[in-house]
Amino acid sequence: MNNTILLQKLIAIEKSIGMADNATIRQLVYEAEDYLLQLQKDHAQSFFRDSWRANMPRFHVIGEVSQNQ
């Protein structure tokens, strides 16, 4: 999913104003809203996944542990 697709959906809405009936325009708006919500969900999941990975304890092989301990 990317922002270009959302922009294309918004442009389609803009072009349909004055040309399509209200039900069609409303459906296009719903599709754009759904797409935006999915983008936000994907970004949030990615953020939490990356955050979790960054906070995971790191395991060391015995030879890698510093001798100063």
Side-chain angles (χ1 to χ4, degrees):
M1 303 197 110
N2 64 45
N3 295 333
T4 303
I5 294 172
L6 179 59
L7 181 59
Q8 290 170 342
K9 290 180 178 293
L10 293 172
I11 290 170
I13 293 168
E14 179 186 11
K15 288 181 178 180
S16 67
I17 294 172
M19 306 294 269
D21 59 36
N22 287 343
T24 301
I25 295 172
R26 183 175 291 116
Q27 184 59 39
L28 291 171
V29 169
Y30 290 155
E31 289 174 13
E33 289 172 344
D34 288 342
Y35 193 83
L36 176 60
L37 291 172
Q38 187 62 46
L39 275 173
Q40 289 179 327
K41 178 182 174 185
D42 291 347
H43 286 305
Q45 287 174 341
S46 176
F47 171 79
F48 286 118
R49 187 173 41 251
D50 293 346
S51 173
W52 182 77
R53 285 183 187 148
N55 291 325
M56 284 180 57
R58 298 218 161 86
F59 297 100
H60 299 281
V61 176
I62 292 174
E64 293 178 357
V65 175
S66 114
Q67 299 299 324
N68 295 334
Q69 293 180 350

